[in-house]
Structures are given as C-alpha cells and as structure tokens.
Amino acid sequence: LEGIRLLTDALQSQAHFQEVYYAPALIEGNQAAQTLLAQLAGLGIPCFACATDLFGTLTETITPQGIAAVTTMPQLPLPNNIV
C-alpha cells in the first residue's frame, strides 16, 4: 500500500502491517505522514527509512507521497450465495 490515505484506512481497518518504508525527504513538513509514521512505529511495526530514489522504485505512483507499507491480504469468507 502506498500513501497516507491508504495506510490510514488500513490502520483503521486493523490490517496486519508487516513493515513500513518511508522517504524522510518526501514526508518532511507533512504532519499527517509524520503522525502516521509515529503511530505505526508506536505499534511496533518495523519502519525503514530509505533514500528518495530507492523509495520511488518501491511504488508504482508517479509522485509518491513518501510512505508505503507491506500488509497481508485479509482472509474474507465467501458469500453463501455463490453457485
């Protein structure tokens, strides 16, 4: 997942975060990103700083927000009405 909104939504949905990557230069001055990073680190999720160029290779967006995470896919039950 990449971006403040997606990571915030995942955190609120109690997704299982495996690790977080962030580019300090990209989140500098972005209070929302810094607060989110502090929350994730406070939960004991490993957070790794990386250079801006390296961070750009981790995401598929043209203008990355500077914070991304690896999460597990939720195990959702299939609906009963599937034939």
Side-chain angles (χ1 to χ4, degrees), residues 7-32:
L7 269 66
T8 299
D9 288 349
L11 184 60
Q12 291 174 348
S13 298
Q14 299 178 352
H16 175 72
F17 284 77
Q18 294 179 334
E19 51 200 26
V20 174
Y21 297 91
Y22 67 98
L26 294 177
I27 66 168
E28 183 179 345
N30 186 328
Q31 189 60 47

Side-chain angles (χ1 to χ4, degrees), residues 8-83:
T8 299
D9 288 349
L11 184 60
Q12 291 174 348
S13 298
Q14 299 178 352
H16 175 72
F17 284 77
Q18 294 179 334
E19 51 200 26
V20 174
Y21 297 91
Y22 67 98
L26 294 177
I27 66 168
E28 183 179 345
N30 186 328
Q31 189 60 47
Q34 292 176 7
T35 299
L36 177 59
L37 181 60
Q39 285 179 303
L40 295 167
L43 293 171
I45 299 164
C47 297
F48 304 99
C50 54
T52 302
D53 292 344
L54 175 61
F55 187 84
T57 67
L58 301 176
T59 65
E60 295 181 353
T61 58
I62 295 171
T63 54
Q65 294 181 12
I67 188 165
V70 177
T71 64
T72 56
M73 294 291 290
Q75 298 295 320
L76 302 174
L78 290 174
N80 293 331
N81 60 354
I82 292 183
V83 179

